[in-house]
Amino acid sequence: MSQLRTVQVLGGGSAGSSAHVSSLAAGLVARGVQVTVCAPPAVDHAYDFTATGARFLPVPRRSDPAAVAALRSACAGADVVHAHGLHAASRTALALSGRTVPLVMTWHTRRYAEGARRQILHLLERRAVRAAAVVLAPSSDLVDRARGRGARDARLAPAAAPVPRLAGALHDGKARAELGAVERPLLMAVGSLVPHHGFDTLLDAARIWRGLDPVPLLVIAGEGRDRAALQQRIGDEELPVRLIGSRDDVGELLAVADLAVLPSRWVGRSLLAQEALRLGVPLVATEVGGVPELVGEAAELVPFGNAEALARTVARLLGDPERCARLAEAGRAQAAGWPTEDDTIAHVLSVYDELAQPPAPGRGR
């Protein structure tokens, strides 16, 4: 058989989808698949897709004719095209118009909108999932959503995050000292600073746990359009919170934290949750999306938007080292049962092989 040729298309490149594509590209190349990654240049700067053995082509996150033409050219000769996210799938469908090459879409995360934008988002979801031969999703509720939007074939797919490679010791006092948490508990949250990640609620909770002794320090790693507003609140209300921006050592920082906190409105297979459980860091997370499936009984779950429940749960865990130890042990056990990167790559490759098979004699595709 000839070498299978695939194109991976990324839009804005969230941390989860970009890490997934990097892992997928490396695994596919190792299995003899020809891989081209199309993404905005900034995403390649952060993830260096060429280091995986893939070919990288810069394609901006736009839907104007020039960007669509560039994507169409990049997909020429591909056996399967795999788009990651709604916008990437929508633009890729335009680029593949008139061609028979199958499109796979991985719907990594759910988006939210209000008013007129909500209807636009609904139409975008319908357009994206209906263009795909197969829609892969990391959680059951997203599979159901894809089917409700008219997907021909929607499947729950294993989506392992790369195992963090820690450069330093797991309990390095220097890291805590640099963050300002030498003799106080350290809480860690990670994510883009945007409304649906729930950081406003997290600041509300931080205001409540100022009454603890010692007062825990909350460190949030990430950037986004809400940074200025969050920083203003932190200063005005004198909250025990530090915004440290985007970091490439999140694994090391998480490893020295006492608790990890995930306050999102929706998340599929959270990178933070996966890293926390693997490292044995107790996790407090909102009971949304794919989180319950992912963590099982190995984390404390709270309702989204409930600052009091979040603060109360954090305070209880900080005062109960035995419960934290049990969560740490349960987290490692839960993580041991997750699909591996090899499982994820094998599953995706089986989908590609299924779609790339020529039709039987006398039958259409």
Side-chain angles (χ1 to χ4, degrees):
M1 293 180 62
S2 61
Q3 185 181 37
L4 184 69
R5 298 159 297 178
T6 75
V7 175
Q8 308 289 319
V9 184
L10 271 164
S14 68
S17 60
S18 298
H20 176 65
V21 170
S22 179
S23 171
L24 192 58
L28 291 172
V29 168
R31 288 161 176 76
V33 178
Q34 184 182 108
V35 179
T36 298
V37 177
C38 296
V43 181
D44 183 56
H45 292 160
Y47 288 88
D48 191 13
F49 296 110
T50 55
T52 68
R55 177 189 181 206
F56 176 75
L57 291 177
V59 177
R61 189 189 182 218
R62 302 195 306 266
S63 296
D64 59 78
V68 172
L71 187 54
R72 183 177 178 85
S73 177
C75 294
D79 297 302
V80 178
V81 177
H82 192 160
H84 298 265
L86 288 174
H87 290 283
S90 181
R91 289 185 293 111
T92 305
L94 282 175
L96 295 179
S97 179
R99 295 182 179 176
T100 58
V101 58
L103 172 63
V104 176
M105 170 190 170
T106 294
W107 196 348
H108 289 275
T109 188
R110 181 176 171 181
R111 298 184 180 277
Y112 289 89
E114 302 297 336
R117 293 179 61 86
R118 184 176 181 179
Q119 183 62 27
I120 294 172
L121 178 61
H122 181 100
L123 293 173
L124 179 65
E125 290 176 348
R126 285 169 58 90
R127 177 181 181 180
V129 303
R130 291 186 176 196
V134 174
V135 177
L136 304 177
S139 63
S140 299
D141 67 320
L142 213 47
V143 170
D144 292 341
R145 190 174 183 86
R147 290 171 178 162
R149 294 290 187 258
R152 289 174 280 170
D153 186 343
R155 310 178 189 180
L156 186 66
V163 176
R165 293 166 176 81
L166 304 180
L170 292 186
H171 296 287
D172 185 358
K174 182 180 177 181
R176 291 182 68 105
E178 290 176 349
L179 293 171
V182 176
E183 297 182 354
R184 61 196 299 195
L186 174 62
L187 315 179
M188 189 80 192
V190 181
S192 301
L193 306 182
V194 294
H196 69 270
H197 280 168
F199 291 124
D200 267 333
T201 301
L202 193 51
L203 295 194
D204 292 340
R207 187 172 58 229
I208 296 171
W209 65 55
R210 281 184 306 187
L212 298 178
D213 184 19
V215 178
L217 173 67
L218 170 64
V219 172
I220 303 174
E223 287 289 357
R225 64 178 184 269
D226 286 356
R227 174 161 186 156
L230 293 172
Q231 190 64 64
Q232 183 73 38
R233 275 198 63 188
I234 292 167
D236 290 347
E237 301 175 31
E238 298 182 347
L239 300 176
V241 180
R242 284 192 60 190
L243 304 181
I244 61 172
S246 296
R247 299 284 291 251
D248 58 8
D249 60 347
V250 167
E252 284 86 347
L253 300 180
L254 181 61
V256 301
D258 296 287
L259 295 178
V261 189
L262 178 65
S264 296
R265 180 176 182 178
W266 188 95
V267 65
R269 293 184 68 87
S270 161
L271 286 175
L272 173 66
Q274 291 182 69
E275 292 194 2
L277 267 61
R278 280 175 174 149
L279 292 169
V281 178
L283 172 69
V284 179
T286 43
E287 192 172 9
V288 298
V291 173
E293 289 178 274
L294 180 67
V295 304
E297 300 296 321
E300 294 277 0
L301 302 181
V302 298
F304 168 73
N306 191 326
E308 290 189 5
L310 180 56
R312 185 170 58 249
T313 302
V314 165
R316 175 167 51 81
L317 287 178
L318 291 177
D320 189 349
E322 291 185 1
R323 173 60 176 161
C324 286
R326 290 196 299 272
L327 283 175
E329 182 179 358
R332 293 189 182 98
Q334 181 76 7
W338 289 337
T340 64
E341 289 183 80
D342 283 344
D343 293 332
T344 300
I345 293 157
H347 179 266
V348 169
L349 189 54
S350 72
V351 173
Y352 293 172
D353 287 340
E354 174 188 332
L355 295 175
Q357 290 295 324
R363 297 178 61 185
R365 181 180 289 275

